[in-house]
Amino acid sequence: MQNNTQTSGVGVLEQFEYDNKIVKAFLIASVVYGVIGMLVGLTLAIQLFLPEANFENPHTTFGRLRPLHTNAVIFAFVGNAMFAGIYHSSQRLLKTGLFSKALSWIHFWGWQLIILAAAITLPMGLTSSKEYAELEWPIDVAIALIWVVFAINFFGMIAKRRERHMYVAIWFYIATIVTVALLHIVNSLAIPVSFTKSYSMFAGVQDALVQWWYGHNAVAFFLTTPYLGLMYYYLPKAANRPVFSYKLSIIHFWSLIFIYIWAGPHHLLYTSLPDWAQSLGTVFSVMLIAPSWGGMLNGLLTLRGAWDKVREDNVLKFFVVAVTAYGMATFEGPMLSLKNVNAIAHYTDWIVAHVHIGALGWNGFMIFGILYYLVPKMWNTKMYSKSLVNLHFWIGTLGIIFYALPLYWASLTQSLMWKEFTADGFLAYPNFLETVTKIVPQYMMRAVGGTMYLVGVFIMIYNLLKTAAQGSFADYDAAEAPALQKNVQVVGGGWHTILERKPFIFTGLAIVAVAIGGLVEFVPTALIKSNVPTIASVKPYTPLELTGRDIYIREGCVSCHSQMVRPFRDETERYGEYSKAGEFVYDRPFLWGSKRTGPDLHRIGGKYPDSWHYNHMFDPTSMSPGSIMPSYPWLVDDDIDYSDLPKKIKVMRQLGVPYEEGFEDTAVEESNKQAEIIAKNLEKDKIKVTKDKEIIALIAYLQRLGTDIKQK
């Protein structure tokens, strides 16, 4: 890169280059992984009405593929596009080239290797089972290291900038970088058992709180704040209009990053989380609508006087729908945080629809708009076909509608069926399966919507490839700007204008703003014992039950089953005594779940004989006619792996689980004793299976669930 200087009337004029190669690499990766992630998502959508679509392959079941889908879409599709947009816009906003080309490429290839590792390990069942953070500890370490590389490169650009003031997009990039680092490190704290297995540092209620502090704010600071920054750059650029209100952007930024961090507990309403934490999450979630809509309005009002351009400019069409979807999702989120609405919506497909309005509408359409804006510019040409862009816009928009509306319909149907009682006071639908079979047609419609959206992506890819083919890519864009003069007193401007000139003080204040909420929620929950009252009858899992629990986690059963009976009449009638905080003190990780495609399992222990569980896992329809659960024949064939069991017991003891000293030496022997009892029980029902099969361990775990307390 050249860095020539010459004198001008405003001081020393420096010549430099904007690097487009790294932007191109991240954009290509985003599109490739977007297709892969959406294909996996479509496969999952089909499996919900055709479970045989996994071909009885352990690596392609719903439970194993779901985290692959979420990780591919969030961190590969949206993540790569985010990096592309940040690198492209930051160079121009800061009037500097990359801080380090080497770091940029380490960042790129490191991130792609992380995605590849996820694509290999998740279908293998190597998972921590934490929502949006399923990757095991070696990959978590790699994520932290690559994120540090990204941070050094970004803040290095800020340090060598030629623009004194930081534009609003840079504020959001700063908040994203520091907060994602904080979220990832805290939520990933674990003690390794082996290279492929670890146990969370947090248990039960604490683990749930930390997980949803992370999970909600991963949505906030990975899917929202960076894309708000991109909106503040690309939407005004495409519209050729200044941002509507600088003052509103200040209020939007600081209130958003401060309030968002408190809202995680709204994912845990009516659970065993202490009431004060639930209420705190609700209050801040409702408050969140103000800054969220402030950002939406600032984006849409930027188009004042330019709405005629929206009719003609297909890039602006994508941006308008994206910002509108953001507004819809950020209205719906606070509404879902109200306890009376949450009581209906939680554990249903309403949450799935809500998430996909954000993912497909906000993130997806923002990315498509950025691609349609950048590719012609970077390849120095015009868009190959505007009519194909328009076709993509309409088929994508209709795809979102056909995806979301059937799920809203399904969620209300299912929730009302769960809660309906007869005139005599009995559950109208005591069999949970009745509430699932009724919504299978909606699952089919959801797959149609997803297919339409994916077809739109293929249309876009064709159009972009033809556009690139007719142009010539510019590796670098030449630029020049006066050098930033050090130690120059700048007169005028308000307090925030002054703060924008001091990026590292700005960053420190952003860290304080996002740290306060987490500390207020975590510290009392961890230190005040009354938040998690102990129950004397709750004992640690036996070695065989612990092994079975790890198999349950490996198979991703938590994707469809919850383990949290809420204090509602319909739930206690259907499942049994509501769940208590003290019952989960040995659960690492917690498994309360976020969706019920199958019934809650917290009180399943002792409800059915061992043979029922065996037959249900081998052929679900034999026990539950019409079930959409896949079969798990490999559990009958595969031997239990006890090689890590002594180390698992040792790590659990390090984490405070009261196993006796030296218990790890007899753990395998104890497992065999319990396994033999289960094998004999199965033999009584004419099922011959040896005690060393994985199905035995899983049955041991399922039969333990909810049996530690005396039910009324």
Side-chain angles (χ1 to χ4, degrees), residues 202-228:
F202 310 101
V205 170
Q206 282 97 350
D207 193 45
L209 180 60
V210 172
Q211 157 57 34
W212 280 113
W213 169 78
Y214 165 88
H216 182 76
N217 290 302
V219 172
F221 289 92
F222 201 92
L223 301 178
T224 304
T225 55
Y227 278 83
L228 287 169

Side-chain angles (χ1 to χ4, degrees), residues 468-528:
Q470 71 185 14
S472 176
F473 180 75
D475 288 344
Y476 301 97
D477 287 339
E480 60 181 21
L484 184 65
Q485 297 180 34
K486 307 288 184 181
N487 303 318
V488 174
Q489 187 69 31
V490 180
V491 180
W495 66 271
H496 203 271
T497 306
I498 296 169
L499 189 58
E500 290 164 35
R501 301 170 194 154
K502 302 181 182 299
F504 296 103
I505 293 176
F506 186 102
T507 302
L509 291 175
I511 293 171
V512 171
V514 298
I516 291 172
L519 289 172
V520 170
E521 290 173 348
F522 294 164
V523 173
T525 310
L527 298 182
I528 301 172

Side-chain angles (χ1 to χ4, degrees), residues 17 196 201 240 264 289 329 338 414 477 504 533 606 638 704 706:
E17 295 171 329
T196 58
M201 293 277 285
N240 197 25
I289 194 170
L338 298 172
Q414 190 172 34
D477 287 339
F504 296 103
D638 293 348
R704 168 66 184 276

Side-chain angles (χ1 to χ4, degrees), residues 636 639-640 675 679 682 688-696:
V636 177
D639 291 343
I640 301 171
L682 292 172
K688 289 189 177 181
V689 58
T690 56
K691 65 181 181 180
D692 59 347
K693 300 302 179 185
E694 288 187 337
I695 188 71
I696 299 290

Side-chain angles (χ1 to χ4, degrees), residues 563-583:
Q563 291 183 22
M564 173 53 60
V565 183
R566 298 176 295 176
F568 297 145
R569 181 186 170 204
D570 64 288
E571 295 206 9
T572 55
E573 286 285 332
R574 179 174 280 110
Y575 303 122
E577 183 72 9
Y578 70 90
S579 303
K580 314 293 193 297
E583 294 183 80

